Amino acid sequence: MNTRFAKLTLAALISASIGLSPLTAMAVDPVPTPAPAGAPAAVPAIPASAAQPEKAAKKSKKQAKKDKKAKKDKKKSKKKTKAAQEPVAAPQQ
């Protein structure tokens, strides 16, 4: 009888700990709360007009990289389709 009770107790403790694990994770790492509406917003160190050209340069560089990659992928897919369309010579006896 004692072993049955011990097994049941152990099973209950394990299932309870599994069920409560998400709650403990949330308690350890709470979501940051947003600033109150009445508080002034933080002023950026760089003025917006100075940040715009940098952003635009980064964006255009990223876009050029993306275009280059797309072109390369297109070339690869053309090669693959061409290779797939060519009939493979089967060894004849």
Side-chain angles (χ1 to χ4, degrees), residues 8-91:
L8 181 64
T9 305
L10 186 62
L13 285 173
I14 290 172
S15 63
S17 66
I18 290 171
L20 293 175
S21 62
L23 296 175
T24 57
M26 284 189 280
V28 171
D29 189 25
V31 178
T33 56
V43 180
I46 302 171
S49 60
Q52 291 298 333
E54 290 175 16
K55 273 189 176 180
K58 281 185 181 179
K59 204 170 193 179
S60 65
K61 191 175 182 181
K62 220 178 212 183
Q63 186 64 35
K65 202 173 193 181
K66 208 177 210 181
D67 291 342
K68 190 175 181 181
K69 187 175 182 350
K71 198 174 187 181
K72 196 174 185 180
D73 288 343
K74 190 176 180 183
K75 209 175 196 181
K76 275 188 180 180
S77 68
K78 263 189 180 178
K79 270 189 176 179
K80 283 184 182 179
T81 55
K82 189 176 181 183
Q85 286 176 352
E86 289 179 7
V88 177

